[in-house]
């Protein structure tokens, strides 16, 4: 289910998989707010995508992710 | 480093970021600082690509074209948007969004959006001046 971003109110939150770990995440394509738990997507629980990915030793860029094709704006 | 010119890829040259609009000649000018990376005269950086392969200038410039319900659009000319964002960033009126340390709202004192929005919301990478997104909002 597509969710309008509760942080920026300007884009859709899309599902994605971290390539190196296969972990599922949800990310706003507009503001790069990210959530590790897709069942808890709200303003209070977002983290910055690059911050989340760099904490895992990754580049922090979209290239770290495989974005779900069926979602997004 | 060099000033953005016709050799730069993507949206930068397309939107004429060569000093921009008329309000202030000192803001809104971009200098290339690396691959897919520019810095404005106001100190904002536009680094990297979005999920659709647009550089960050192009990502922000999406907000100059209507994008559907809920997507806000700048009413200023495209070649003045970077200058507007510099003005918003440097303004003493800029304030953090409660609960979001990397987002800021600057009341501009004039209409800057096509739906009457009067403020700019800047979303930066935490702890940096790197722009992730910027768009018009209503304030308060």
């Amino acid at each position: 289910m597509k969710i309008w971003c509760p942080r920026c109110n300007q884009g859709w939150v899309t599902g994605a998989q971290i390539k190196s770990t296969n972990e599922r995440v949800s990310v706003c394509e507009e503001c790069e707010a990210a959530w590790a738990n897709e069942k808890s997507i709200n303003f209070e629980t977002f983290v910055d995508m690059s911050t989340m990915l760099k904490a895992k030793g990754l580049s922090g860029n979209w290239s770290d992710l495989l974005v779900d094709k069926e979602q997004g704006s | 480093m060099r000033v953005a010119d016709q050799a730069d890829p993507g949206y930068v040259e397309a939107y004429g970021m060569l000093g921009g609009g008329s309000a202030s000649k000192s803001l809104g000018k971009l200098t290339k600082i690396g691959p897919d990376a520019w810095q404005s005269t106001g100190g904002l950086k536009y680094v990297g690509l979005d999920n659709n392969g647009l550089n960050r200038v192009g990502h922000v410039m999406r907000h100059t074209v209507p994008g559907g319900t809920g997507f806000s659009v700048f009413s200023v000319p495209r070649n003045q948007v970077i200058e507007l964002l510099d003005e918003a960033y440097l303004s003493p009126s800029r304030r953090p969004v409660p609960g979001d340390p990397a987002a800021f709202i600057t009341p501009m004192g004039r209409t800057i959006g096509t739906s009457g929005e009067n403020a700019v919301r800047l979303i930066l990478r935490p702890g940096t001046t790197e722009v992730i997104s910027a768009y018009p909002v209503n304030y308060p």
Side-chain angles (χ1 to χ4, degrees):
Chain A
M1 182 178 66
K2 291 171 67 175
I3 297 175
W4 194 242
C5 181
R7 183 206 191 186
C8 68
N9 195 33
Q10 292 293 303
W12 294 103
V13 176
T14 187
Q17 178 176 312
I18 299 175
K19 292 177 182 176
S20 63
T21 66
N22 294 330
E23 292 172 89
R24 293 288 304 170
V25 295
S26 300
V27 185
C28 173
E29 294 186 339
E30 175 67 30
C31 72
E32 298 186 355
W35 293 265
N37 184 350
E38 65 183 7
K39 298 185 186 306
S40 180
I41 296 175
N42 56 64
F43 177 79
E44 288 75 19
T45 58
F46 87 86
V47 295
D48 173 73
M49 180 188 79
S50 64
T51 301
M52 172 190 280
L53 295 173
K54 286 179 179 177
K56 298 177 183 294
L58 304 175
S59 72
N61 299 320
W62 284 96
S63 58
D64 293 329
L65 303 176
L66 286 172
V67 177
D68 295 351
K69 295 295 185 185
E70 71 275 15
Q71 296 186 345
S73 56
Chain B
M1 295 194 302
R2 62 186 173 82
V3 172
D5 60 24
Q6 294 299 314
D8 292 320
Y11 280 70
V12 175
E13 74 279 15
Y15 292 124
M17 304 308 162
L18 297 172
S22 58
S24 171
K25 292 296 183 185
S26 64
L27 298 178
K29 195 172 184 179
L30 292 174
T31 299
K32 191 170 180 63
I33 57 174
D36 297 311
W38 293 265
Q39 181 168 349
S40 72
T41 39
L44 291 172
K45 294 180 179 178
Y46 298 83
V47 177
L49 305 176
D50 72 7
N51 186 40
N52 295 308
L54 293 174
N55 64 48
R56 282 292 150 190
V57 175
H59 186 79
V60 169
M61 289 302 164
R62 291 165 56 248
H63 287 278
T64 63
V65 180
T69 303
F71 191 80
S72 64
V73 177
F74 288 110
S75 58
V76 302
R78 288 176 178 175
N79 66 358
Q80 294 179 22
V81 168
I82 299 298
E83 178 182 331
L84 177 71
L85 301 187
D86 272 352
E87 180 186 350
Y89 176 65
L90 295 173
S91 170
S93 298
R94 177 169 61 93
R95 60 204 66 193
V97 173
D100 190 344
F104 302 88
I105 291 180
T106 306
M108 302 304 295
R110 62 188 188 276
T111 298
I112 54 87
T114 58
S115 294
E117 294 94 338
N118 60 355
V120 170
R121 183 164 175 164
L122 284 168
I123 296 182
L124 308 179
R125 294 201 191 287
T128 76
T129 63
E130 295 179 14
V131 175
I132 294 176
S133 186
Y135 47 89
V137 294
N138 286 306
Y139 187 86

